[in-house]
Amino acid sequence: MRLRRSLIDVTPLRTSPVFRRLLIGRTVSVLGGFMTMVTVMYQVWDMTRSTAWTGAVGLAQALPLVVFGLFAGAWVDRADRRRVYLAATVGQAACSLLLAVQGFTGHVPVVVVLALVAVQSSFGALGAPAAGVFVPRLLPPEQVPAGLALNAVTGQTMMLLGPALAGVLLGRLGIGACYLLDALSFGLAFYGAFGLPALPPEGEPSRAGVRGVLDGLRFLAGHRVVRGALITDLAATVLSFPASLFPLVNAERFGDDPRTLGLFLSALAVGGVTASALSGSLTRLGRPGAVMLCASGTWGAALVLFGLATDPWAGLALLVLAGAADATAVVSRSTIVQTRTPDALLGRVTAAEQIVGQAGPSLGNARGGLVAGFSSGATALVSGGLMCVLAVAAVATATPELRGRAEGLAVPETP
């Protein structure tokens, strides 16, 4: 019975056919998204042979989310979220179809490819806040953590499978076919959401434009628990995100073996999948704030030890631990955001959460690169991990509400 409670809680799949269909559609769409991410990088590199242009792919994906995210959240909080999500899904599918057309025809300037990626990301910036209300509206409060954990484990699994599948299909079918498969995957996402009921905001709708955005920011500034959750995530990513340091650390510590480098990111994903699959006990605990703080501190500590490790297997094991801690923290943070935010503000707060999740790792990679530039990769990792642990401890001290039990989320023991 104890092992059964440790496994991921699948109660939402049994009790909510609507959630089950939505999860299936989302999973296939996420798989297609990771395939497109790899395909775009491959195509841009093949067209330009320039790391500056491949770096621009990341900007094309991130900037629309950062620039339009809060305004999209304010719009979502004024409308039927189901319709907004369906419209955004159609827009993303159309962009994938256009990418497929240029992939089949060829001879398109690289700026056109990046423009299509940016437009698709803009539709994603609109769809993400709308999707953020689905789980708390479709599931009872005690099942929300389990629903978010199911989203996490499927997303982490697709992050493992998507790039590998893209690599195989690029060699066999070509660029256009990979984009086309992504476009078809949006069809399943559309089908999954089509059966949802109307989901207008509960409570007073958002005010239009900047005023609605400012209302959302005032809520974030004034709600100690939600604010603390987002600050904790920023502490973990901005201060210690390690991906940009992997090549340097691999050269410094592990003989510059490309096989080891390729395993670093995979180790993070393996840890994330494992932690999500074994999240049952934590999602039933009803203490998402305490779990998030412990997991974020563990992330920082694991990266400190990884920076000191000299054995590659020990290093990979520490990255698995870091990935598990990160996935646990993400599920707990999302639980806090989606259960502590009024429905009428949830689109804007979810948009802010998405921006934090997108911008934090990018800033963390930049910080790591700058520190390593005048020291070493190990120094950047160790200093970042230590700062993360100290920042998490500071948030825990300043926000005791995060350490307590979340009312209504505890699940009684199964007899």
Side-chain angles (χ1 to χ4, degrees):
M1 182 62 68
R2 184 171 298 177
L3 175 61
R4 181 181 175 185
R5 285 186 59 81
S6 295
L7 296 175
I8 191 168
D9 186 358
V10 296
T11 302
L13 296 177
R14 295 198 305 265
T15 61
S16 176
V18 176
F19 173 79
R20 183 169 62 242
R21 186 170 62 246
L22 188 68
L23 181 66
I24 292 171
R26 174 188 177 276
T27 300
V28 175
S29 179
V30 169
L31 175 64
F34 279 114
M35 289 174 57
T36 285
M37 179 183 70
V38 173
T39 304
V40 169
M41 294 292 289
Y42 175 83
Q43 182 183 7
V44 170
W45 172 255
D46 187 57
M47 295 170 72
T48 66
R49 298 292 170 176
S50 166
T51 55
W53 280 110
T54 55
V57 173
L59 289 177
Q61 293 168 331
L63 284 179
L65 180 62
V66 173
V67 172
F68 302 122
L70 290 176
F71 289 95
W75 185 20
V76 163
D77 284 339
R78 291 173 55 84
D80 178 357
R81 280 75 173 262
R82 171 184 172 273
R83 289 187 178 182
V84 171
Y85 180 79
L86 292 175
T89 301
V90 171
Q92 289 177 287
C95 290
S96 287
L97 280 174
L98 291 174
L99 284 168
V101 169
Q102 66 83 30
F104 284 123
T105 59
H107 309 296
V108 173
V110 66
V111 293
V112 174
V113 177
L114 294 180
L116 287 172
V117 170
V119 173
Q120 187 176 56
S121 182
S122 298
F123 281 115
L126 179 62
V133 309
F134 291 164
V135 172
R137 289 285 290 268
L138 295 176
L139 299 176
E142 67 274 9
Q143 292 183 22
V144 168
L148 295 173
L150 287 165
N151 278 340
V153 73
T154 54
Q156 292 276 353
T157 303
M158 294 307 103
M159 185 172 70
L160 276 174
L161 296 179
L165 182 59
V168 172
L169 294 179
L170 277 169
R172 294 188 177 184
L173 302 178
I175 291 171
C178 288
Y179 288 134
L180 182 60
L181 288 173
D182 183 31
L184 294 175
S185 76
F186 283 113
L188 274 179
F190 187 93
Y191 169 76
F194 190 76
L196 292 174
L199 295 171
E202 293 180 344
E204 184 177 353
S206 168
R207 295 192 292 176
V210 176
R211 292 182 301 171
V213 172
L214 292 176
D215 289 340
L217 293 176
R218 275 191 288 269
F219 170 81
L220 287 173
H223 198 293
R224 290 168 55 82
V225 173
V226 175
R227 183 184 66 209
L230 295 185
I231 291 174
T232 301
D233 186 71
L234 282 173
T237 54
V238 174
L239 298 178
S240 60
F241 201 76
S244 66
L245 300 171
F246 284 165
L248 179 58
V249 172
N250 186 48
E252 291 175 344
R253 294 293 182 90
F254 305 120
D256 206 17
D257 188 336
R259 294 172 298 178
T260 307
L261 178 62
L263 290 173
F264 284 168
L265 283 173
S266 296
L268 289 174
V270 167
V273 171
T274 303
S276 299
L278 298 176
S279 62
S281 296
L282 295 179
T283 57
R284 292 183 176 98
L285 187 61
R287 299 175 69 95
V291 171
M292 180 195 67
L293 292 169
C294 291
S296 299
T298 301
W299 157 269
L303 292 177
V304 170
L305 295 175
F306 173 68
L308 299 173
T310 56
D311 179 76
W313 292 109
L316 289 173
L318 288 165
L319 288 179
V320 170
L321 175 61
D326 179 57
T328 302
V330 168
V331 171
S332 301
R333 183 198 72 220
S334 296
T335 299
I336 293 168
V337 168
Q338 297 199 9
T339 57
R340 295 297 188 97
T341 304
D343 184 83
L345 288 160
L346 194 51
R348 281 161 284 181
V349 176
T350 300
E353 184 188 13
Q354 294 285 335
I355 292 171
V356 167
Q358 184 78 37
S362 297
L363 293 173
N365 280 328
R367 181 216 67 88
L370 289 173
V371 174
F374 59 80
S375 57
S376 67
T379 299
L381 272 170
V382 172
S383 62
L386 288 174
M387 286 191 295
C388 170
V389 172
L390 292 174
V392 171
V395 172
T397 301
T399 319
E401 298 92 335
L402 275 173
R403 307 195 302 266
R405 179 175 293 277
E407 295 298 327
L409 292 181
V411 180
E413 292 287 332
T414 304

